[in-house]
Each structure stands twice: as C-alpha cells, then as structure tokens.
Amino acid sequence: MNLTDRFIDNVYAFSQLDYSDELLIHAKKCLIDYLAATMAGAKEYLSVEEALLQSPLSSGNASTIIRLNTKTSPAIAALVNGISAHAVELDDGQRFGNIHPGAPVISAILAVGEAYGLKVSDILRGLLSGYESTLRLACSIQPGHKLKGFHATGPCGTIGATMGIASLLRFGKEQFKASLSAACTSASGILEMIEGDTQMMPFNAGKAASNAVVSAMIGYAGFKTPEDALGGRRGFLHCFAQDVKEELLTDFTDSYCITNYFKPYAACGHCHASIDAALILRSQNQIPLESIKKIEIQTYKLAINGHDHTVINGVNSARMSIPYSAVVALVKGSAGVDDFGEETIKDRSILDLVSKVAVSENDSLTRQAPAKRMAIMTIFTDNGVFSETVDYPKGQPENPMSLDDIIAKYYMCGYSAGVSESSLNRVKEVILGDGNFPVSELMNCLL
C-alpha cells in the first residue's frame, strides 16, 4: 500500500472509534475555545466580512456565519468563520506542528454539519478526526514546512479539515481518498501573509476551511484519483516538505488530537513565553517603567523570524511582535484583545519601551524546541537587573487551561462581541450536554 492508502486507512479507522470520555471532553473544550476566538474575530473583522458577503458569489442559506446575522452556503460560511477564528490570535495551536487546527477544522465541520442537519455528537467525531489528521500531517513535515515559507494552518488545515468532513459524513474509503486527493491539490498558505499591517493571515485559515468543503464535495461525487496524492513523487509531501516523519502518518497508535494548546493571550504563540515572563516579573517586583534601560529576550530560533520587530505598524503587526507583546503585558498586566487594539498600539509610553527590547536566539532554548517553547526575559534598570525564565507558557498541555478557564474566555469574548448571556448559556449547555442537540440549535444562538 502506498502512503496515501495507509494514511486513509488510519484516518478511517480512527473515525470509527468509540471515543473515550477524555477525548470527548477535550473535543468540547476545543469547540468552546473555537467559538470564543471566532466571536472576538468576527467583531474585529466585521466591516471586511460584511463587504465580502455583498459578493454575488456569497449565496445560499444553509450555514450560519457567526455574529454576522446571516446564513450562506457551507463553503462561504466556512471561509468567513475560518477568517474570524484566526483573526485575533486567540485560537488554539500545536507547537510541534506549528499550526492552528481549530480555525480550519471546526469552521468546516460546523458549516457542513449544520447544512446536513447533524447533531453535536457528529460534530465532535468530525472534530477529533480532523484534529488527528491535521496535527499528524503538520508534525510530520515540520520544521521544514515553515522554513520553506508555508503557514501550516493553510496547507495542513485544508487536508485535515477535509478528513474531518469525510468522517462527519461517514464516507467510504474511496470517498476518503478522492477527498484527500482534492485537498492535496487545493492546499496552500504562505507566511508572507503575516508581514506588516495585514488582514490576510487569517485568510489562510478561512481558505483552508472553504477548500475542505469543496474537496469533500469532490470526494462525495467519487472523482477518480491518482494513486498517491500524498506521497507520490509530485505529491503533497514532496512539494511542501523537506524531511517527512512518515511513521506519524502510518501509525496512529498514540493520539495526537489532544496535544494542542489553548491561548489565554491574543498574540502569536511564539510570543506567549515572553508574555508570561513579563507578567511574572510584574507581579513579583515593583519595577518603575521609567527606570528601564533595556530589555533582553532570549528565545528559540524558530520564534524569531517575523516576530522580533520593534516597529509596530498595525494591530496584526503588534500581535506578531515578541517585543510588543512582552512590553504590553509588563505595562498593563494583561495581553487580551484590547491590549492589541488601535488605541493601545499607539501609546507612546508602550512604544518607547518596545524600542528598548532586543530579541536574540539562545542556543540552549533552540535545542529544546519545539518540546519547550521557552523564553528568558531580562530587564535592566537603574535599580538592578530582573530576570525570568518560562519553560511552558500558560495554555500548553504541560501548563494547561482548564475547562473553567476556557469557559471564562468564552464568556469574555461573547460579551465583548455583543452576544446575550442567555444565548451564551444555551450554547454552552448544548456543547456540554449529551450530544443529541442539532448543530443548528447551537449556531442559531450565534447569528
């Protein structure tokens, strides 16, 4: 059997499992966390998403767009919700794969599940299969995939979300293979989209979700496929990777869908260790900001490129900046959505401190990555030197956010986005219940 067939065999078998309570609870955490990030992102991207929906291509009424008070086709709903989910850097991630699985996977399966009239229990099955596929694929090709310039959330998210839909709709193996083949040739997403004051980075996630819906349509129709779209000499892995850990694709002994992290801060995951260090230093010391002469942040190599800038030219630039993220946490004691807003990123007292930050590679931290995403923050002042090292920032599996933490984040984002408490309560009840509620009941509360 070729690599594609072996991968599909594993995904198919995983989709047929009787999932443990641990996996189902984790899936519910992922779904609640996704909705938190998506509500916050929909608020921030409201104007461009409303303009997008004015296109004559945005037709249909089967699937809900969260917080835009409208329904559209599954592919467009997946696109817009995927953009919202990744818009404010609050969505989940996985450090070994350098990927955000929830934005593409959950956006796609919610849109399709609602259109098909499925139940929440079906969504959880599709979510777990989609996560397992996405994370295994991303982990098998990193770090070379990122070093080639790809944003794994796009390419790997396309394929993983497609496998999630195939599991959701209980495709046969030939339909799985056709869907995978379509996803392989649809997959794309480049890291140049994070540069500067851009709104294009979350498009990688939205496009992946939308492409997954279309790829699953191809699979459903039963298009004839190449033998090995994944592992062939001109297949996905050859085009998108340098070195491939094939065993992650052919042996599903250990579950990967529970290895993701959740975000307490509205910044790129590479910034989180520095944010935690800043918050610890702030809480344990009284450091007069005017006494700070310079700040040094040492971290691992893969975190630096695209994240060490001290010139902040927009909201998204701030979210990608280790210097800004650390300083705003040090100054304000928080790193939420508002701390990366238009008003805060123009605060001269914050920007003056950002200009004093130098980010550099620490060889020891590089050797420990990605098992640890570490940072050492050292503040030099007129009154002394203060330093803190963070191994596992808050939200990583080794320092997890609890279900209560994620629910608190969900309510915070929901209130900020203007969702009523009664609607938020009902969505939570539907997700945490026995799974027999229709997806539409959940989605109708979030229009």
Side-chain angles (χ1 to χ4, degrees):
M1 296 177 69
N2 61 46
L3 188 58
T4 296
D5 291 327
R6 295 169 72 188
F7 179 68
I8 287 172
D9 271 1
N10 279 293
V11 177
Y12 183 82
F14 185 87
S15 74
Q16 304 302 306
L17 292 177
D18 185 11
Y19 296 125
S20 67
D21 289 343
E22 178 190 15
L23 281 180
L24 290 173
I25 290 171
H26 188 77
K28 292 175 181 181
K29 287 175 68 175
C30 292
L31 182 52
I32 293 170
D33 186 80
Y34 163 86
L35 293 175
T38 305
M39 288 186 292
K43 177 184 177 183
E44 178 151 329
Y45 270 53
L46 178 64
S47 60
V48 289
E49 289 180 350
E50 285 181 332
L52 176 63
L53 292 172
Q54 297 305 310
S55 165
L57 299 177
S58 303
S59 60
N61 60 2
S63 303
T64 298
I65 297 180
I66 293 173
R67 299 307 299 145
L68 266 72
N69 195 33
T70 190
K71 293 178 183 275
T72 183
S73 68
I76 298 298
L79 170 69
V80 178
N81 288 334
I83 290 172
S84 291
H86 195 44
V88 295
E89 284 291 334
L90 275 174
D91 51 325
D92 65 351
Q94 207 265 17
R95 64 181 186 261
F96 292 92
N98 275 288
I99 189 168
H100 299 276
V105 171
I106 302 179
S107 298
I109 63 173
L110 280 178
V112 173
E114 184 180 10
Y116 272 79
L118 300 182
K119 296 179 179 179
V120 171
S121 57
D122 301 311
I123 293 298
L124 298 179
R125 183 181 67 252
L127 184 157
L128 289 170
S129 293
Y131 267 56
E132 189 74 12
S133 305
T134 301
L135 296 179
R136 283 184 171 277
L137 183 58
C139 289
S140 76
I141 60 177
Q142 294 288 26
H145 186 63
K146 181 176 181 180
L147 294 174
K148 286 168 87 64
F150 290 111
H151 183 199
T153 302
C156 299
T158 298
I159 294 172
T162 301
M163 295 295 91
I165 296 172
S167 300
L168 176 74
L169 299 182
R170 299 187 181 276
F171 282 1
K173 285 188 181 180
E174 289 304 314
Q175 291 175 308
F176 263 88
K177 187 169 185 176
S179 301
L180 176 70
S181 298
C184 284
T185 201
S186 302
S188 63
I190 57 175
L191 282 169
E192 190 65 22
M193 297 302 102
I194 75 171
E195 296 294 333
D197 185 21
T198 174
Q199 290 184 310
M200 287 297 293
M201 183 182 69
F203 175 66
N204 283 339
K207 172 190 57 58
S210 183
N211 283 349
V213 174
V214 175
S215 297
M217 289 171 57
I218 296 295
Y220 174 82
F223 276 59
K224 293 181 179 179
T225 69
E227 286 298 318
D228 195 5
L230 195 61
R233 64 187 180 90
R234 293 175 295 185
F236 174 87
L237 296 175
H238 176 81
C239 295
F240 285 88
Q242 294 175 337
D243 298 306
V244 180
K245 306 174 189 70
E246 289 190 8
E247 66 276 8
L248 295 182
L249 307 177
T250 59
D251 181 4
F252 277 34
T253 303
D254 297 320
S255 178
Y256 265 62
C257 59
I258 59 172
T259 62
N260 59 308
Y261 61 81
F262 299 102
K263 282 185 169 185
Y265 313 125
C268 175
H270 293 302
C271 305
H272 282 216
S274 300
I275 292 172
D276 269 354
L279 292 173
I280 293 169
L281 288 170
R282 174 189 167 95
S283 68
Q284 295 181 351
N285 307 276
Q286 292 184 341
I287 305 175
L289 299 179
E290 64 274 8
S291 73
I292 296 176
K293 296 187 291 187
K294 65 177 179 178
I295 300 173
E296 292 181 354
I297 296 176
Q298 299 178 55
T299 190
Y300 51 98
K301 183 177 182 179
L302 206 60
I304 295 175
N305 186 28
H307 305 289
D308 61 346
H309 53 283
T310 57
V311 176
I312 307 302
N313 58 13
V315 168
N316 292 293
S317 173
R319 292 191 182 112
M320 293 293 114
S321 169
I322 291 173
Y324 178 88
S325 300
V327 166
V328 79
L330 183 67
V331 173
K332 296 174 69 72
S334 58
V337 174
D338 292 342
D339 298 310
F340 296 85
E342 292 286 356
E343 183 175 340
T344 310
I345 65 170
K346 296 175 183 176
D347 186 319
R348 181 45 54 189
S349 63
I350 291 175
L351 295 179
D352 286 345
L353 268 184
V354 171
S355 69
K356 297 179 181 181
V357 179
V359 179
S360 62
E361 180 189 1
N362 180 302
D363 290 338
S364 174
L365 304 193
T366 296
R367 287 193 296 272
Q368 295 179 74
K372 293 182 178 181
R373 279 186 168 181
M374 301 177 67
I376 304 170
M377 184 173 180
T378 306
I379 302 175
F380 298 85
T381 77
D382 295 330
N383 306 313
V385 178
F386 305 86
S387 187
E388 183 64 38
T389 300
V390 171
D391 291 353
Y392 297 108
K394 181 68 175 176
Q396 294 289 339
E398 297 83 359
N399 184 16
M401 292 178 69
S402 67
L403 177 59
D404 286 343
D405 290 334
I406 291 172
I407 289 174
K409 171 183 172 181
Y410 160 79
Y411 275 101
M412 178 189 70
C413 292
Y415 291 147
S416 176
V419 184
S420 70
E421 184 168 4
S422 60
S423 292
L424 292 172
N425 288 340
R426 184 55 183 157
V427 168
K428 184 185 72 172
E429 290 170 2
V430 168
I431 294 173
L432 296 180
D434 60 10
N436 287 322
F437 292 104
V439 178
S440 58
E441 183 163 348
L442 182 158
M443 301 304 288
N444 287 338
C445 292
L446 298 171
L447 274 166

